[in-house]
Amino acid sequence: MGRVRKVLTGQLVVGALVVAVAAAGFGLYWFQPWKLWQDETVEEALPGIVETSAPPTVAPSTAPSESAPSESASSATGPQALASGELISHEHATSGTVKLVRLADGSHVVRLENLDTSNGPDLRVWLTDAPVKEGKAGWHVFDDGEYVSLGKLKGNQGSQNYTLPADIDPARYTSVSIWCDRFDVSFGAAELAAA
């Protein structure tokens, strides 16, 4: 009888160890806690803006009426900020500016500038129609209404662009959330106000 008890006890210990290792592995995959200490910085220029190291040279004019185009004329055809807002913190400390920008070709992008938030598993940038609420009341509201996922967050720090699909009317949306799709929670969000 003692021998049977030892065998059963040994099998239970091995079974418990297998379950514990599997649970730990699943927990590490699901929560990815190491991301809280890993920052990913992405610095993208706004599409349509050409950065130069020196100002462009203009050939001298031969007649007074042949002046170079004014800067206001060239900037009118460039990107235009339609709306903007400041990110507030929800589940994680989050800061930065969000802009809804119409590009010269008529397409739209959501631009995150000076973003600083925690890294996490399955972070997305969502354009939503939900109101931005402070504190815990705002953590879970963004999937209650209409939203468009603009893709995975490219980096938890820096300035980045997210293209809106061509069939999306940006006027229907009033906020942007850095959304953790795995845990259905907002890391931070900004209400968009007309620029």
Side-chain angles (χ1 to χ4, degrees):
M1 193 67 154
R3 192 180 218 183
V4 171
R5 185 173 298 165
K6 282 184 182 181
V7 169
L8 289 176
T9 303
Q11 288 177 343
L12 286 175
V13 169
V14 169
L17 283 174
V18 168
V19 169
V21 168
F26 178 76
L28 286 172
Y29 166 77
W30 191 252
F31 289 97
Q32 299 177 0
W34 59 87
K35 286 195 170 188
L36 292 174
W37 296 280
Q38 293 177 335
D39 289 328
E40 292 181 48
T41 301
V42 174
E43 293 293 343
E44 293 181 329
L46 183 61
I49 300 291
V50 178
E51 294 183 23
T52 58
S53 57
T57 57
V58 178
S61 170
T62 56
S65 63
E66 296 178 25
S67 61
S70 70
E71 190 166 318
S72 63
S74 65
S75 64
T77 60
Q80 279 185 303
L82 304 177
S84 65
E86 294 297 318
L87 286 163
I88 64 167
S89 299
H90 281 147
E91 171 72 23
H92 292 268
T94 302
S95 63
T97 302
V98 176
K99 292 181 180 177
L100 175 62
V101 179
R102 182 174 51 231
L103 302 177
D105 66 1
S107 64
H108 295 86
V109 297
V110 167
R111 178 158 174 83
L112 305 178
E113 292 183 342
N114 303 313
L115 173 67
D116 189 8
T117 190
S118 297
N119 207 342
D122 208 13
L123 293 180
R124 308 284 174 153
V125 177
W126 279 13
L127 184 63
T128 80
D129 65 353
V132 175
K133 299 177 182 178
E134 300 247 357
K136 286 190 175 185
W139 288 17
H140 303 284
V141 299
F142 298 100
D143 60 351
D144 294 343
E146 193 173 331
Y147 62 88
V148 176
S149 177
L150 302 179
K152 288 191 173 204
L153 186 68
K154 297 173 184 177
N156 64 308
Q157 295 181 340
S159 297
Q160 306 147 36
N161 306 304
Y162 297 86
T163 304
L164 270 66
D167 61 341
I168 296 299
D169 177 10
R172 295 179 56 186
Y173 301 93
T174 58
S175 60
V176 172
S177 172
I178 307 301
W179 184 258
C180 180
D181 215 18
R182 177 149 313 154
F183 296 104
D184 292 329
V185 67
S186 175
F187 273 34
E191 189 165 340
L192 295 172

